[in-house]
């Protein structure tokens, strides 16, 4: 509940500190006095946009704060706890706006963005403006009013989640489909390239092996000649070779060792050298005996080497990287193949997500239809009380599976007939301005009873209403005030007289400055104000008597 509102230097208000009580509070004042000024200031605390024009001329800044009690507002309590902004059982919203347009917001003394003021404000106050009945002509607003009355938030949230899931899958499918032509062209190229490389089938490390073998065969004659010459030098030349010379050296070393044992190491080294030469000669001989000059194999190697070089140039890679490149292209081709599978899978997911959405939307539609019948009766009863005794109100809920949106698949239309014999038709076709105002007020009061907002503000919602109807409106708002705090800005004495308390707005000028004030009225002051509303500037004994009668009623 709103307990206190403090306003400093806002528009034509210099300073106001207003204390509010439970029940219905009537707010009246002369035309142009600024009856809605407190509501406008409160809107700043709820995160409404404002600029430097909100600052009272001559002041450096505007400051507005609103204090709420939270005993019966569990949603607001939970929100404050979740955001580490709790303060016992109170919530203080404060907003400052400087003359250069800078704005700051606070919750329980903590600086916060405007979005958080708006977030917590929805749990604290509901505002119904004087032009709210015009919104009744919009299908979207009619849908929102029905949902507010039904209060089936879990169903609405389920529909929204199903809709978001459906849109996500559809977007993924659309994105994949848009690139499908590119993928098809790429896939065709990859299939040709991979088939060509598959046919060549170059193995890992094969190119290096081919290079080595090709070089050996290309130099086969030179290898044979050089091997033969080396063998001759090592062991096969009759004119002298290294092995025979080393044998002689080993014999001489043995003789020397007999003469001087200290020369034994030299003999050992010569023996080792002789063994190394013999092994080298033997190994070289085996190599020479296995060395074959195969022209056909050489041609095969040369052709494969040439093909590898050609493919490497074609794919702009080194020949030694061709095998790796082949594997990469094959992997990409498999990925594209899996994309086709993903397309089929996403298409199936789209169908499934739409079916899931429609299931949730049908549940929501059934709930709307059920509560629409309930609301039909209540609004019809209300407009009977509001001087439309033959009127009938009906809500038509049509489920359209082709219409998929975040709020479901329903088309909701408010229908009314105001005269006997007339068929039900849309509000815009049947209701006059005054009738629309009364219907809208009845719906607002009825739906307000179902919404768990502790404070409701009605800002001149009784425009276009007068006489006995105004008295009914006053009683409706007073009844609502028994369970919910109601602030009602009005110009009708029949409505104002039903308030549990009454505040008067005055505007006066002094020394070239205009200032608006607001004060709580006692019983006699209320009689005077109601008499003014009844009779204008001239207050007579009759108007005073009528005012006392209104207040007593």
């Amino acid at each position: 509940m709103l307990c206190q509102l403090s306003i400093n230097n806002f528009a034509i208000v210099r300073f106001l500190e207003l204390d509010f009580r439970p029940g219905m509070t009537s707010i009246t004042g002369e035309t142009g006095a600024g009856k809605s000024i407190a509501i406008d200031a409160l809107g700043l605390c709820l995160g409404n946009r404002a600029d430097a024009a909100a600052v009272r001329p001559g002041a450096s800044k505007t400051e507005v704060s609103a204090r709420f009690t939270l005993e019966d507002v569990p949603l607001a309590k939970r929100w404050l706890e979740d955001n580490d902004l709790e303060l016992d059982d109170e919530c203080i919203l404060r907003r400052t706006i400087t003359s250069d347009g800078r704005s700051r917001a606070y919750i329980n003394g903590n600086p916060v963005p405007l979005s958080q003021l708006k977030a917590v404000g929805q749990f604290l106050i509901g505002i119904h403006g004087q032009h709210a009945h015009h919104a009744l002509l919009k299908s979207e607003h009619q849908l929102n009013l029905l949902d507010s009355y039904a209060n089936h938030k879990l169903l609405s949230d389920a529909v929204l989640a199903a809709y978001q899931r459906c849109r996500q899958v559809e977007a993924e499918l659309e994105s994949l489909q848009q690139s499908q032509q590119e993928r098809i062209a790429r896939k065709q190229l990859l299939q040709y390239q991979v088939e060509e490389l598959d046919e060549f089938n170059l193995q890992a490390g094969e190119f290096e092996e081919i290079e080595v073998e090709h070089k050996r065969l290309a130099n086969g004659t030179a290898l044979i000649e050089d091997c033969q010459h080396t063998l001759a030098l090592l062991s096969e030349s009759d004119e002298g070779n290294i092995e025979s010379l080393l044998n002689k050296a080993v014999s001489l070393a043995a003789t020397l060792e007999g003469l001087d044992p200290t020369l034994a190491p030299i003999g050992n080294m010569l023996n080792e050298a002789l063994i190394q030469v013999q092994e080298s000669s033997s190994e070289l001989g085996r190599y020479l005996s296995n060395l074959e000059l195969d022209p056909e194999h050489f041609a095969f190697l040369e052709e494969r080497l040439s093909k590898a070089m050609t493919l490497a140039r074609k794919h702009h890679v080194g020949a030694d990287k061709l095998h790796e490149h082949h594997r990469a292209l094959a992997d990409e081709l498999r990925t594209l193949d899996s994309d086709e599978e993903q397309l089929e899978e996403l298409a199936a997911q789209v169908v499934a997500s739409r079916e899931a959405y429609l299931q949730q939307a049908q549940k929501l539609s059934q709930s709307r239809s059920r509560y629409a019948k309930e609301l039909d009766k209540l609004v019809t009863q209300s407009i009977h009380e509001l001087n439309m005794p033959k009127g009938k109100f009906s809500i038509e809920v049509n489920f359209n599976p082709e219409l998929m949106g975040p709020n479901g698949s329903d088309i909701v239309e408010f229908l009314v007939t105001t005269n006997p014999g007339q068929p039900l038709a849309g509000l815009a076709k049947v209701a006059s301005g005054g009738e629309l105002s009364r219907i809208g007020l009845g719906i607002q009061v009825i739906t307000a009873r179902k919404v768990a907002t502790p404070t409701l503000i009605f800002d001149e919602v009784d425009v276009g209403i007068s006489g006995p109807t105004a008295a009914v409106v006053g009683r409706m708002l007073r009844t609502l005030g028994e369970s919910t705090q109601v602030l009602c800005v009005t110009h009708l004495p029949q409505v104002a007289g039903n308030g549990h308390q009454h505040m008067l707005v005055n505007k006066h000028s002094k020394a070239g400055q205009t200032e608006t004030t607001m004060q709580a009225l006692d019983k006699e002051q209320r009689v005077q104000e109601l008499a003014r509303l009844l009779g204008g500037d001239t207050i007579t004994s009759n108007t005073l008597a009528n005012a006392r009668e209104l207040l007593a009623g």
Side-chain angles (χ1 to χ4, degrees), residues 403-457:
L403 176 67
M404 296 180 61
N407 295 318
S409 298
D410 290 320
I411 299 174
V412 171
E413 186 177 14
F414 286 5
L415 306 175
V416 68
T417 178
T418 57
N419 298 304
Q422 286 185 335
L424 287 164
L427 291 177
K429 297 178 181 179
V430 177
S432 65
E435 289 170 336
L436 185 63
S437 178
R438 280 176 277 169
I439 294 169
L441 180 60
I443 293 174
Q444 288 182 62
V445 171
I446 291 168
T447 54
R449 293 172 186 158
K450 292 291 292 288
V451 180
T453 305
T455 300
L456 296 171
I457 297 176

Side-chain angles (χ1 to χ4, degrees), residues 258-318:
L259 298 175
D260 187 353
T262 60
L263 295 175
I266 294 176
N268 292 335
M269 287 187 287
L270 288 171
N271 268 310
E272 290 175 2
L274 178 59
I275 292 170
Q276 291 292 328
V277 168
Q278 290 172 338
E279 288 183 354
S280 298
S281 179
S282 176
E283 191 67 30
L284 191 58
R286 281 195 297 272
Y287 172 81
L288 185 58
S289 64
N290 292 323
L291 185 60
E292 296 182 4
L293 299 182
D294 185 347
E296 291 184 3
H297 186 56
F298 178 72
F300 167 78
L301 292 175
E302 194 161 56
E303 181 183 356
R304 194 154 178 76
L305 186 64
S306 176
K307 180 69 172 178
M309 299 292 287
T310 299
L311 288 172
R313 285 193 299 270
K314 184 176 182 179
H315 289 272
H316 305 288
V317 296

